[in-house]
């Protein structure tokens, strides 16, 4: 049977400011097929689909539905054209029942007759094999039930083109299988289904055709039966691009951070980190690669003490050997306690017990730098407060999607933002403004932050400058472990290189740098080792000097036991 | 009539002032807007109605027409306040708390200016009898149960019915809970916010009018309106955001608020002047108790609308 084209896009281009999200994309969707849209982070998959579902409006190009040109300006227009999108973040009213959510916004005459709504929902559920209780409130539902409500919401409106944005990201393997079963039934019913995903084995097991996007461009559309995991990966990651980043050889590599079998469970009860075990060394940049949302954020937050840990250890080796004791972080009580454990020796290497000394004598000895640490201090970061962890020199310069949300206060100037990290210093109830101001001026000069002055609210700076301020501040406190997540997201080339050089400088100073990035070329050019995580699990640790993009791409997208199922 | 029954009926009539105020506020809050301008809006509603009565007083119009025109004047003035509030908070996305408080200050002040200029013999004496129909001639508490009291009860019931039984209500609640979702399914969020705020303000304004012209029916009545406005906002919490609950809640509030003056008459207990403000505090104590109880029970249905107080604008990248 000849298949009819349900929807086609021609020459679609979408720009956000100077960033081109989609460039000249052509795409066809047939009736009664499952089309996968495959691509790495930020390749424009979701943007493209948002243009079909009315969230964005294309700058250039045309969309045809059943051969006729259509204009989609709002989600409602899309609904009217029988196109429905199931977003990654569900759009449901928690307080309403499933049925109320399903009928919300539908324009029928008169009032909603909940009885007939319920029976129609039940009908749809039976037809495609869903399990749903229309009377159940959304806040009582599991993630997969919520997804079911979203899908039925779209079907109830009579959609014949369904777009699912990473539908499997939040589901368990059994739930995924059930979802695929439902999708296949819909396909048999003649509906067109588009799945956005980056999981190769899912692509291979459920879809008929795969469209591959890379950096906003449509690379190819292939029949799934002709594709293999490696051929798809190759198209996804593209050819290697050489970057001009100075990478020095690691010097004086010492074990700094040791994460052992770390497990984290988020507030919704989903396991976000599974048995994470790795080490980070001083004088080395450890890259973390993975599809966005694979647990990178949770991992860094767990180390920084911001994420509750279900089980596992985070061992921090504090380099203390032969360093004199100061009272800076330690009280007299703590010093005495450590002395009782034989932790100190004097300049000649003899044990230093401090026993029988008065407090004044101990103070004098400490002041004379005569009390030295015998060994490095080894401690478990688990159970320590974020403040304690920070004062140990474990610094998180987290640069999330929302730069101002974490770490900086938008309406305060650079000086004041510096003080957020140092307000505990200073005498009595007064803060010390001089040092933060000098630091702010240093950062502006060193990192070439373009700002009218130190007191200009950071909210008014451009994204790149805000990022420089954030990273600069964390580096200024002489960290021992520096964690940077997506520090160059949204930055132009020059600013990006400033940040890379900063990280490299830290590495040469003996800091253990952990760098979470999304651009594989950068990871390969900047890091010494690259750890790949996928759905909260480590799937590989590779040497950045010898690894290839395909290798990492496969590790990022493959789960441990890929289902080798051929598309039906 | 039994003194306690008398007291109860009077509490019911007194409570209607809050019933109007909080039903109006509930509608606004259901759209996600915390309108702290309610005291000011109630004041302006009262002033608007009295202003119209003062103008039409000498014309000797038909009683029904007097009621209608008075109510319309009250509605017009308070809805105008609601329109200012929604323009500032919905369209310009100004801070809701600040805007509301500013409106209260503005409304209370302007009302005082207007009311001082009006002649109580014109706006009060004649219309009072008309508004208190059918019990105007009685001397016990029944005299207070006039037209506007029954309107208040009807509005509270209708508001509940609309919110929980109709398509419009479903959409309005969706707007207050999760405007993004409502927007995505094609609900006009701005329209719903404007309408809910303006209609809510109109209803609240009637409460002010009712207090001046009917329940207290004195030329000093307008001075206590601001306090009643704040009580109305407290009553929203007491009623757990359900309009029909305000009927019970307002009676309890009315009962507690006026018991300081009643206890002395009924049981022969003398309340010292110093203790009276303490007793007037009771409605707020009860509100805090309700808050504590609902917070402990932590039932999702009893919580304020999820996006209450948050401005909504479509996400942009």
């Amino acid at each position: 049977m000849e298949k009819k084209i349900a929807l086609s896009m021609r020459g679609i281009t979408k720009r956000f400011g100077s960033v081109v999200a989609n460039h000249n994309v052509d795409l066809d969707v047939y009736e009664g097929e499952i089309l996968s849209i495959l691509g790495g982070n930020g390749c424009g998959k979701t943007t493209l689909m948002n243009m079909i579902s009315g969230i964005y409006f294309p700058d250039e190009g045309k969309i045809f539905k059943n051969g006729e040109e259509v204009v989609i300006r709002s989600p409602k227009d899309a609904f009217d054209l029988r196109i429905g999108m199931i977003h990654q973040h569900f759009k449901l009213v928690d307080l309403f029942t499933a049925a109320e959510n399903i009928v919300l916004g539908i324009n029928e005459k008169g009032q909603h007759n909940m009885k007939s709504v319920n029976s129609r929902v039940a009908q749809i559920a039976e037809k495609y094999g869903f399990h749903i209780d229309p009377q159940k409130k959304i806040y009582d539902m599991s993630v997969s039930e919520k997804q079911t409500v979203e899908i039925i919401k779209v079907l109830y409106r009579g959609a014949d083109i369904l777009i699912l944005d990473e539908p499997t990201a939040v589901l368990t393997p059994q739930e995924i299988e059930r979802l695929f079963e439902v999708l296949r039934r819909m396909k048999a019913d003649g509906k067109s289904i588009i799945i956005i995903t980056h999981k190769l084995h899912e692509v291979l097991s459920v879809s008929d055709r795969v469209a591959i996007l890379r950096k906003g461009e449509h690379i190819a559309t292939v029949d799934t039966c002709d594709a293999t995991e490696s051929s798809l990966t190759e198209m996804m990651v593209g050819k290697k691009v050489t970057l001009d980043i100075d990478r020095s050889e690691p010097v004086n590599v010492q074990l700094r951070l040791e994460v052992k079998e770390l497990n984290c469970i988020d507030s919704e009860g989903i396991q976000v980190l599974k048995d994470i075990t790795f080490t980070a060394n001083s004088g080395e940049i450890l890259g973390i690669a993975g599809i966005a949302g694979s647990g990178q954020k949770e991992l860094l937050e767990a180390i920084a003490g911001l994420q509750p840990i279900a089980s596992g250890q985070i061992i921090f080796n504090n380099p203390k050997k032969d360093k004199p004791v100061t009272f800076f972080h330690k009280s007299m009580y703590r010093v005495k306690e450590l002395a009782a454990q034989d932790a100190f020796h004097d300049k000649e290497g003899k044990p230093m017990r401090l026993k029988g000394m008065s407090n004044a004598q101990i103070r004098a000895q400490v002041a004379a730098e005569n009390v030295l640490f015998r060994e490095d201090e080894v401690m478990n970061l688990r159970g320590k407060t974020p403040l304690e962890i920070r004062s140990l020199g474990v610094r998180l310069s987290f640069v999330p999607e929302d730069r101002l949300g974490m770490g900086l206060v938008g309406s305060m100037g650079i000086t004041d933002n510096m003080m957020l990290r140092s307000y505990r210093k200073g005498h009595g109830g007064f803060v010390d403004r001089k040092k933060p101001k000098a630091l702010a001026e240093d950062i502006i000069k060193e990192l070439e932050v373009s700002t009218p002055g130190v007191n200009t609210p950071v909210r008014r700076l451009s994204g790149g400058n805000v990022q420089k301020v954030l990273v600069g501040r964390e580096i200024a406190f002489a960290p021992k472990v520096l964690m940077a997540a997506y520090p160059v997201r949204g930055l132009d080339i020059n600013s990006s290189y400033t940040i890379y050089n900063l990280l490299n400088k830290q590495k040469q100073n003996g800091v253990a740098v952990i760098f979470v990035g999304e651009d594989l070329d950068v990871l390969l050019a900047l890091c010494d080792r690259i750890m790949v995580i996928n759905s909260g699990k480590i799937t590989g640790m590779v040497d950045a000097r010898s690894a290839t993009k395909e290798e990492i791409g496969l590790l990022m997208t493959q789960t441990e036991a890929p289902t080798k199922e051929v598309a039906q | 009539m039994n003194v306690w029954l008398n007291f109860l009926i009077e509490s019911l009539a007194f409570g209607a002032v809050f019933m109007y105020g909080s039903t109006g506020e509930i509608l606004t809050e259901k759209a996600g807007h915390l309108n702290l301008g309610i005291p000011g809006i109630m004041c302006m509603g009262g002033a608007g109605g009295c202003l119209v009565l003062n103008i039409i007083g000498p014309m000797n119009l038909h009683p029904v027409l007097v009621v209608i025109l008075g109510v319309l004047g009250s509605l017009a003035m308070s809805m105008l306040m609601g329109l200012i509030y929604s323009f500032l908070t919905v369209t310009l996305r100004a801070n809701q708390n600040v805007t509301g408080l500013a409106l209260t200050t503005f409304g209370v002040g302007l009302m005082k200016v207007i009311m001082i200029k009006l002649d109580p013999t014109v706006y009060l004496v004649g219309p009072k009898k008309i508004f208190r129909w059918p019990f105007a001639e009685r001397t016990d508490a029944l005299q207070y149960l006039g037209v506007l009291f029954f309107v208040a009860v009807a509005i509270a019931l209708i508001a509940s019915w609309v919110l929980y039984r109709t398509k419009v209500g479903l959409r309005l609640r969706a707007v207050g809970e999760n405007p993004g979702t409502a927007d995505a399914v094609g609900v006009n969020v701005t329209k719903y916010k404007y309408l809910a705020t303006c209609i809510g303000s109109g209803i609240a304004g009637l409460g002010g009018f009712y207090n001046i012209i009917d329940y207290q029916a004195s030329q000093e009545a307008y001075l206590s309106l601001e306090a009643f406005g704040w009580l109305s906002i407290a009553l929203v919490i007491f009623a757990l955001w359900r309009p029909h609950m305000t009927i019970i809640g307002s009676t309890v509030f009315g009962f507690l608020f006026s018991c300081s003056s009643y206890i002395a008459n009924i049981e022969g207990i003398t309340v010292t002047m110093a203790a009276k403000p303490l007793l007037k505090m009771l409605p707020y104590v009860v509100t805090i108790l309700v808050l504590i109880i609902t917070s402990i029970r932590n039932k999702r249905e009893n919580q304020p609308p999820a996006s209450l107080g948050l401005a909504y604008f479509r996400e942009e990248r």
Side-chain angles (χ1 to χ4, degrees):
Chain A
M1 192 182 82
E2 181 101 351
K3 281 199 168 172
K4 281 204 295 192
I5 293 181
L7 184 93
S8 54
M9 305 174 91
R10 287 289 171 268
I12 297 289
T13 299
K14 178 76 186 169
R15 298 181 200 91
F16 294 103
S18 61
V19 183
V20 180
N22 285 120
H23 180 66
N24 206 9
V25 176
D26 294 343
L27 196 70
D28 289 320
V29 187
Y30 293 99
E31 279 176 11
E33 76 158 352
I34 300 179
L35 173 75
S36 292
I37 308 239
L38 184 69
N41 291 329
C43 71
K45 293 173 292 199
T46 306
T47 311
L48 186 67
M49 290 303 116
N50 277 342
M51 279 187 277
I52 309 178
S53 63
I55 310 272
Y56 297 140
F57 191 73
D59 295 334
E60 283 165 35
K62 288 172 180 166
I63 300 172
F64 300 89
K65 171 95 200 285
N66 299 331
E68 279 171 50
E69 185 173 350
V70 292
V71 178
I72 306 170
R73 289 196 176 272
S74 70
K76 208 176 162 298
D77 287 354
F79 276 135
D80 293 345
L81 288 167
R82 312 172 130 234
I83 300 169
M85 180 154 171
I86 291 106
H87 295 269
Q88 213 174 345
H89 303 285
F90 302 134
K91 289 188 177 289
L92 295 171
V93 179
D94 274 357
L95 209 59
F96 287 5
T97 64
E100 282 173 330
N101 265 294
I102 289 166
V103 294
L104 179 66
I106 291 182
N107 262 324
E108 344 170 270
K109 280 222 171 101
Q111 300 307 328
H112 296 305
N113 179 349
M114 286 328 252
K115 252 188 204 155
S116 73
V117 169
N118 288 347
S119 69
R120 234 180 104 188
V121 167
Q123 229 173 35
I124 294 174
E126 202 189 348
K127 187 169 174 191
Y128 297 111
F130 290 110
H131 300 282
I132 191 176
D133 172 10
Q135 306 282 25
K136 201 167 171 184
K137 294 267 167 104
I138 300 296
Y139 61 76
D140 279 332
M141 289 188 170
S142 71
V143 186
S144 98
E145 284 176 294
K146 287 181 195 171
Q147 189 181 52
T148 306
V149 176
E150 281 279 23
I151 296 175
I152 293 181
K153 191 165 125 185
V154 168
L155 290 173
Y156 193 93
R157 285 164 165 74
D160 47 29
I161 298 179
L162 283 92
I163 307 162
L164 293 98
D165 190 355
E166 298 192 19
T168 58
V170 286
L171 302 183
T172 64
Q174 292 83 354
E175 288 167 343
I176 291 174
E177 213 25 71
R178 218 178 307 147
L179 173 70
F180 284 177
E181 203 46 56
V182 167
L183 293 184
R184 286 183 192 119
R185 284 192 199 195
M186 286 187 210
K187 178 178 112 181
D189 195 40
K191 298 199 183 297
S192 316
I193 294 151
I194 307 176
I195 314 181
I196 302 178
T197 183
H198 40 237
K199 293 186 185 165
L200 290 176
H201 67 275
E202 288 174 1
V203 170
L204 293 172
S205 77
V206 77
S207 65
D208 300 306
R209 294 188 310 141
V210 198
I212 296 118
L213 292 187
R214 187 172 74 223
K215 303 212 163 125
E217 301 203 29
H218 178 218
I219 301 299
T221 302
V222 294
D223 287 333
T224 312
C225 47
D226 301 335
T228 62
E229 290 202 355
S230 58
S231 74
L232 291 176
T233 312
E234 210 181 300
M235 284 189 270
M236 225 171 102
V237 296
K239 293 264 180 312
K240 190 177 173 182
V241 184
T242 353
L243 290 171
D244 194 19
I245 301 175
D246 282 333
R247 171 164 54 189
S248 55
E249 289 301 312
V251 277
N252 191 19
V253 174
Q254 277 175 357
L255 181 64
R256 187 52 44 84
L257 198 67
E258 204 180 349
V259 175
K260 288 181 189 164
E261 289 175 357
L262 187 68
N263 284 293
C264 284
I265 291 163
D266 75 358
S267 56
E268 279 170 41
I270 298 166
Q271 189 161 15
V272 283
L273 293 177
K274 290 167 210 146
D275 292 330
I276 299 280
T277 301
F278 70 96
T279 56
N281 303 325
S282 66
E284 187 190 71
I285 299 183
L286 173 70
I288 298 183
I291 300 288
S294 298
Q296 299 96 321
K297 178 177 168 230
E298 286 79 9
L299 176 59
L300 298 199
E301 285 188 347
I303 295 172
L306 299 169
Q307 171 90 22
I309 295 168
S311 69
Q313 314 294 329
I314 302 168
I315 310 294
F316 176 59
N317 286 32
N318 202 1
K320 283 270 176 80
K321 198 174 179 195
D322 294 333
K323 291 245 171 84
V325 172
T326 61
F327 280 118
F328 185 61
H329 292 310
K330 306 235 173 310
S331 61
M332 175 64 85
Y333 170 77
R334 179 85 178 121
V335 169
K336 279 182 169 173
E337 201 182 60
L338 285 168
Q341 295 163 12
D342 256 345
F344 304 130
H345 62 89
D346 62 12
K347 278 175 180 162
E348 279 85 50
K350 283 187 221 142
M352 189 89 183
R353 290 251 165 73
L354 303 174
K355 217 173 179 183
M357 284 189 199
S358 71
N359 282 1
Q361 280 170 319
I362 294 175
R363 248 185 220 111
Q365 288 285 336
V366 168
E369 300 199 343
N370 203 19
V371 185
L372 307 176
F373 281 97
R374 184 184 281 273
E375 295 292 339
D376 287 347
E377 196 178 6
V378 176
M379 63 185 82
N380 195 345
L381 295 186
R382 187 178 172 190
K384 287 206 178 348
T385 64
L387 191 69
E388 285 169 336
I389 294 174
R390 242 181 27 221
S391 64
L392 285 168
V394 179
R395 292 281 174 171
L396 175 65
S397 103
F398 197 73
V399 188
E401 293 80 59
D402 171 20
R403 292 182 198 101
L404 293 174
M406 246 173 117
L408 292 177
V409 178
S411 54
M412 298 195 332
I414 300 180
T415 309
D416 289 354
N417 271 297
M418 295 300 135
M419 284 170 56
L420 286 181
R421 283 285 192 262
S422 63
Y423 67 95
R424 280 164 196 274
K425 292 177 192 161
H427 304 288
F430 298 99
V431 288
D432 177 3
R433 289 194 70 93
K434 273 186 202 147
K435 279 183 210 154
K437 186 159 181 249
L439 176 61
E441 278 161 358
D442 276 356
I443 289 177
I444 291 172
K445 219 176 90 195
E446 293 268 318
L447 305 185
E448 292 160 2
V449 179
S450 59
T451 166
V454 285
N455 291 324
T456 311
V458 287
R459 168 162 49 82
R460 296 222 202 109
L461 306 184
S462 75
N465 287 314
V466 171
Q467 236 138 309
K468 286 181 194 169
V469 171
L470 188 58
V471 177
R473 180 181 71 190
E474 299 307 321
I475 289 173
F477 288 87
K480 293 170 183 137
V481 176
L482 178 66
M483 297 183 279
Y486 312 115
V488 297
R489 185 179 280 178
L491 295 196
D492 60 33
I493 298 288
N494 286 332
S495 314
S496 303
Y497 275 86
T498 316
I499 302 272
Y500 299 145
N501 291 339
L502 269 176
L503 295 177
N504 258 323
K505 221 161 147 191
Q506 292 299 306
K507 163 185 161 184
Q508 282 155 12
N509 290 347
V511 175
V513 180
I514 300 177
F515 172 81
V516 178
E518 40 195 356
D519 190 330
L520 294 184
D521 289 314
V522 171
L523 280 164
L524 284 167
L526 178 72
C527 305
D528 298 294
R529 289 183 300 148
I530 297 174
M531 180 171 99
V532 187
I533 60 177
N534 181 352
S535 329
K537 274 187 224 156
I538 296 183
T539 47
M541 178 76 92
V542 297
D543 183 351
R545 286 177 175 76
S546 59
T548 62
K549 266 168 92 173
E550 286 75 24
E551 200 181 321
I552 297 175
L554 265 179
L555 287 170
M556 275 163 64
T557 46
Q558 244 172 0
T559 36
E560 275 178 329
T563 8
K564 295 260 193 230
E565 203 180 332
V566 190
Q568 293 173 340
Chain B
M1 197 194 279
N2 181 313
V3 277
W4 283 104
L5 188 64
N6 203 42
F7 185 18
L8 187 73
I9 291 175
E10 197 184 330
S11 302
L12 209 61
F14 180 30
V17 180
F18 316 133
M19 220 188 289
Y20 276 116
S22 53
T23 306
E25 176 72 1
I26 287 171
L27 285 183
T28 312
E29 290 198 15
K30 280 290 180 189
H33 282 245
L34 180 66
N35 188 357
L36 293 183
I38 283 292
I41 288 167
M42 287 176 77
C43 288
M44 288 304 289
C50 293
L51 191 63
V52 169
L53 290 183
N54 211 59
I55 296 168
I56 64 169
M59 296 180 196
N60 262 332
L61 294 171
H62 189 271
V64 177
L65 209 56
V66 172
V67 172
I68 291 174
L69 286 176
V71 166
L72 281 181
S74 167
L75 280 176
M77 198 70 115
S78 46
M79 284 173 94
L80 184 67
M81 294 284 281
L83 199 63
I84 297 173
Y85 175 85
S86 27
F87 177 69
L88 287 169
T89 56
V90 182
T91 306
L92 302 181
R93 296 195 279 272
N95 182 299
Q96 296 182 8
N97 298 344
V98 177
T99 311
L101 289 174
L103 272 191
T104 288
T105 319
F106 169 74
V108 172
L110 190 59
M111 171 201 64
K112 285 180 182 165
V113 173
I114 295 173
M115 293 306 284
I116 284 170
K117 299 280 179 204
L118 299 184
D119 180 2
T121 53
V122 181
Y123 74 76
L124 209 57
V125 180
K128 177 180 159 187
K129 282 211 177 90
I130 303 171
F131 278 94
R132 284 195 177 171
W133 180 87
F135 302 113
E137 304 303 326
R138 303 210 33 154
T139 50
D140 55 17
L142 265 181
Q143 61 170 315
Y144 298 116
L145 299 186
V147 182
L148 283 179
F149 167 78
F150 295 106
V151 171
V153 177
I155 287 178
L157 292 174
I158 291 170
S160 264
W161 181 78
V162 168
L163 273 178
Y164 293 98
R165 289 277 180 274
T166 68
K167 221 153 60 176
V168 172
L170 187 70
R171 290 179 191 173
L172 180 60
R173 283 187 293 137
V175 167
E177 287 290 333
N178 192 339
T181 298
D183 198 17
V185 292
V187 175
N188 188 338
V189 174
T190 310
K191 185 177 101 185
Y192 272 82
K193 281 183 179 244
Y194 261 91
L195 280 180
T197 309
C198 290
I199 293 173
S201 298
I203 293 172
L206 279 184
F209 184 50
Y210 166 79
N211 182 55
I212 296 177
I213 213 72
D214 186 342
Y215 173 67
Q216 286 198 358
S218 77
Q219 53 178 318
E220 279 95 31
Y222 67 89
L223 293 171
S224 48
L225 255 183
E226 189 188 354
F228 296 166
W230 293 118
L231 261 175
S232 304
I233 292 176
L235 181 57
V236 172
I237 302 165
F238 186 94
L240 302 174
W241 290 269
R242 289 176 181 80
H244 60 272
M245 287 285 287
T246 62
I247 300 173
I248 301 164
S250 64
T251 311
V252 173
F253 271 35
F255 189 90
L256 293 171
F257 196 79
S258 51
C259 73
S260 59
S261 39
Y262 254 84
I263 280 179
N265 303 346
I266 297 168
E267 300 292 333
I269 306 165
T270 38
V271 181
T272 59
M273 280 304 280
K276 275 191 177 176
L278 277 179
L279 286 169
K280 285 191 172 178
M281 181 183 81
L282 281 175
Y284 297 101
V285 174
V286 174
T287 304
I288 292 173
L289 283 178
V290 169
L291 261 182
I292 292 173
I293 293 165
T294 51
S295 299
I296 291 172
R297 289 188 57 204
N298 201 13
K299 207 171 154 226
R300 287 289 294 267
E301 279 77 3
N302 294 340
Q303 299 301 316
S307 80
L308 183 64
L310 306 173
Y312 171 69
F313 40 107
R314 265 189 206 167
E315 283 166 90
E316 280 158 18
R317 184 156 149 173

